[in-house]
Amino acid sequence: MTAFALAYSLHVLAALVWVGGMFFAWMVLRPAAVAALEGPQRLQLWAQVFPRFFAWVWVAVVILPISGIGLLHLRFNGFETAPRYVQIMMGIYLVMTALFIRIQSLQLPELRQAVASQDWPAGAAVLGRIRRLVGINLIIGLLLVALAAARPTF
């Protein structure tokens, strides 16, 4: 396996874990949880799901820039000679990471506190904010994947 193949494989897998996980949570788990669970149980479920998923997102957050910088140097000899779409991907990564860190550091502790104190209305409000931010991040992530697949020349 070449260095490029290894870096590219790690890069794609990390993106797949992050964006695919958000897609699963938004499109599959959330509707199923709404259909099968009452509000308190739904909040308890999400309070358990998010830390497990976020551990994997942190792995992706670390692997993506390391593999991305490796790919930059192996394929384009650095940032300056990389195509515009690669430079845009790097900026989008920063936006997605900032949104993730906001969820992890601000909303998740609020959700845990609401669940621990059984303040279900507060928990529902926090979960709604998390859902919006994850939805935004999912849309951005899907656009990023489309950009990477299309590799436009502009």
Side-chain angles (χ1 to χ4, degrees):
M1 178 178 279
T2 66
F4 181 85
L6 176 61
Y8 189 73
S9 296
L10 288 173
H11 200 74
V12 170
L13 288 171
L16 177 66
V17 165
W18 190 357
V19 178
M22 289 189 298
F23 185 87
F24 172 78
W26 185 267
M27 301 300 293
V28 178
L29 183 57
R30 179 180 166 268
V34 168
L37 302 173
E38 295 297 321
Q41 290 79 27
R42 228 178 7 254
L43 291 169
Q44 292 170 341
L45 172 71
W46 285 111
Q48 293 295 316
V49 166
F50 286 132
R52 287 174 170 82
F53 176 56
F54 289 173
W56 286 103
V57 174
W58 276 114
V59 171
V61 163
V62 170
I63 288 174
L64 285 167
I66 292 170
S67 59
I69 290 169
L71 291 169
L72 268 177
H73 290 288
L74 290 168
R75 176 101 187 247
F76 305 114
N77 297 319
F79 182 78
E80 299 80 22
T81 59
R84 177 86 57 209
Y85 79 89
V86 171
Q87 297 170 358
I88 292 169
M89 287 170 56
M90 293 172 74
I92 294 172
Y93 163 84
L94 294 173
V95 171
M96 289 182 67
T97 301
L99 284 170
F100 165 65
I101 291 171
R102 179 181 175 93
I103 295 167
Q104 167 90 41
S105 62
L106 298 178
Q107 271 77 41
L108 185 57
E110 282 186 54
L111 179 63
R112 285 181 169 165
Q113 176 60 37
V115 169
S117 63
Q118 297 184 355
D119 186 351
W120 308 125
V126 173
L127 186 58
R129 291 194 301 272
I130 292 172
R131 185 174 51 244
R132 277 190 297 281
L133 290 173
V134 170
I136 291 167
N137 231 10
L138 173 58
I139 290 168
I140 293 169
L142 291 172
L143 291 172
L144 176 59
V145 169
L147 177 68
R151 299 178 184 202
T153 56
F154 50 82

